Amino acid sequence: MRQPGAAIRLTAVYRYVMAAAQERLAAPSRPLARCPACEHDRDAADRAVQILVDDAVQARRGEMCGLCPPHLRLVSVQVNRRQAARLAEAVTEAAGQADYDAPARAALRRAARAGAPLGEYACIACRAASRSTEDGLPRLRQAGRSQPGWESLLCADHVGDLVVSVGRRQAEVILARPVEELAAGLTGHPAPPVRRPASRRRSRLRRIGGSAGCPACLAAEDAELRAVDDLRYRLRTAGRAHDGPVPLCVRHLLGLKARDPRAAQVLIPAAAAHAETLTAELDEAFGKNTWLRRHEGRGPEMSAWRCAAAFLDGHVFCGGPPGG
């Protein structure tokens, strides 16, 4: 979104994505497929991990910076103890160094905590997840080393968020012990499966692309579920169409539709109307981006691509309103 020309390109792209969203809202409910971009990222990460294992790790130590704890865990069961220790040292020295989006995510979470202006769109489930992260990571500063193992499974994004939240030096202190224990204790042993509480083993509205073992991701996911469950109860007792801004992004609304079509149907008319409005604004903005209409006056429709991004998946702006 910060790249030059992003507004023009994404306005064109979101015209097609919004049309697909309108079709899904009108179609019978079915489970959401996994995000193809996230699948591509996971495949790329798997290939990179395999390269680290196949090559002489000790000769490539300088390239290990940025390896997050979960990937260190994956590599550590496939290399010898000395190589794993070297990798662990590189991780603690460069915690979150390559995450250039972490400061932006922190700013977006602060904006989400302030809430959306009256009449402006924001997803309550994505906002609940954002607040969970904003409140949870600073507790690691207070816990220090009293909770070994908790922070060892933080995903790459949440390692970067931890660095922004508590500072690089404190983050290195927090990560040092679990990373050392990981390198020393998991080498040659298979990684244990992640166990979920029995109360949460039902159909879940997962954040696609989150790390399955990251406790910060799981806490955010549980916050999302609680927000959706509370809304679902209110919708089933309302008995009428919803007035005002739709409280869920399309991703969460489609997840709710697959789980409880009756509750989702209360929101779908308003969501479909909002999608139609955004489609018209995207079409207008697309036209004004062409050479023939370049001299026409520009208004709020030129930021419709940001509104479309927030409407389709509120996680883009960490649960807050679409920023400028």
Side-chain angles (χ1 to χ4, degrees):
M1 287 188 166
R2 292 196 295 261
Q3 292 179 355
I8 295 175
R9 292 196 302 274
L10 291 178
T11 294
V13 168
Y14 277 128
R15 293 173 71 215
Y16 297 98
V17 180
M18 191 60 64
Q22 288 176 285
E23 292 178 4
R24 286 298 301 271
L25 287 170
S29 62
R30 64 181 188 269
L32 287 175
R34 296 188 70 83
C35 170
C38 292
E39 291 289 349
H40 179 274
D41 286 351
R42 274 189 288 270
D43 290 343
D46 290 343
R47 289 193 296 271
V49 166
Q50 194 58 49
I51 289 173
L52 297 183
V53 174
D54 292 342
D55 290 352
V57 178
Q58 63 273 23
R60 298 170 60 88
R61 180 190 177 285
E63 298 180 28
M64 299 302 103
C65 297
L67 192 66
C68 66
H71 283 121
L72 171 63
R73 186 186 194 196
L74 181 61
V75 172
S76 68
V77 301
Q78 303 177 66
V79 298
N80 63 45
R81 192 177 300 274
R82 185 173 63 179
Q83 292 168 338
R86 289 181 176 178
L87 289 174
E89 183 181 353
V91 170
T92 55
E93 287 177 357
Q97 217 170 64
D99 192 345
Y100 302 110
D101 286 331
R105 289 197 301 270
L108 289 171
R109 286 196 300 270
R110 289 193 294 270
R113 179 175 287 280
L118 185 64
E120 192 165 349
Y121 171 81
C123 175
I124 60 170
C126 293
R127 187 189 305 169
S130 175
R131 288 177 175 173
S132 171
T133 300
E134 187 77 1
D135 293 339
L137 289 177
R139 295 196 191 111
L140 290 179
R141 185 207 300 262
Q142 302 169 0
R145 298 190 176 195
S146 63
Q147 299 179 9
W150 194 98
E151 50 280 76
S152 67
L153 293 174
L154 286 177
C155 66
D157 282 354
H158 282 120
V159 169
D161 292 337
L162 177 65
V163 171
V164 172
S165 178
V166 304
R168 183 172 303 282
R169 180 171 296 182
Q170 183 67 21
E172 290 177 358
V173 171
I174 291 172
L175 291 170
R177 177 178 173 182
V179 169
E180 290 169 1
E181 291 178 350
L182 192 62
L186 291 181
T187 302
H189 302 283
V194 176
R195 298 187 179 277
R196 298 180 183 274
S199 62
R200 290 292 174 183
R201 288 177 186 167
R202 62 181 186 271
S203 174
R204 304 173 68 84
L205 301 174
R206 288 194 56 197
R207 176 163 71 92
I208 299 300
S211 173
C214 172
C217 286
L218 293 176
E221 180 182 320
D222 285 341
E224 286 181 333
L225 282 168
R226 288 192 296 271
V228 173
D229 281 345
D230 290 345
L231 177 64
R232 176 178 170 233
Y233 174 78
R234 295 197 301 270
L235 294 175
R236 288 186 68 89
T237 58
R240 59 184 179 82
H242 178 79
D243 297 325
V246 185
L248 293 178
C249 61
V250 171
R251 177 170 63 86
H252 280 111
L253 181 53
L254 291 178
L256 176 63
K257 184 179 178 183
R259 181 181 171 195
D260 189 339
R262 176 184 165 189
Q265 191 55 46
V266 178
L267 294 177
I268 285 177
H274 189 54
E276 187 174 349
T277 299
L278 284 175
T279 298
E281 291 179 353
L282 288 166
D283 288 342
E284 181 68 11
F286 180 81
K288 291 182 178 180
N289 284 329
T290 61
W291 180 260
L292 291 177
R293 298 179 59 187
R294 67 189 185 280
H295 298 301
E296 293 185 16
R298 304 193 168 205
E301 72 279 352
M302 304 311 293
S303 63
W305 63 280
R306 289 183 173 273
C307 298
F311 177 61
L312 291 167
D313 189 343
H315 180 67
V316 172
F317 293 102
C318 296

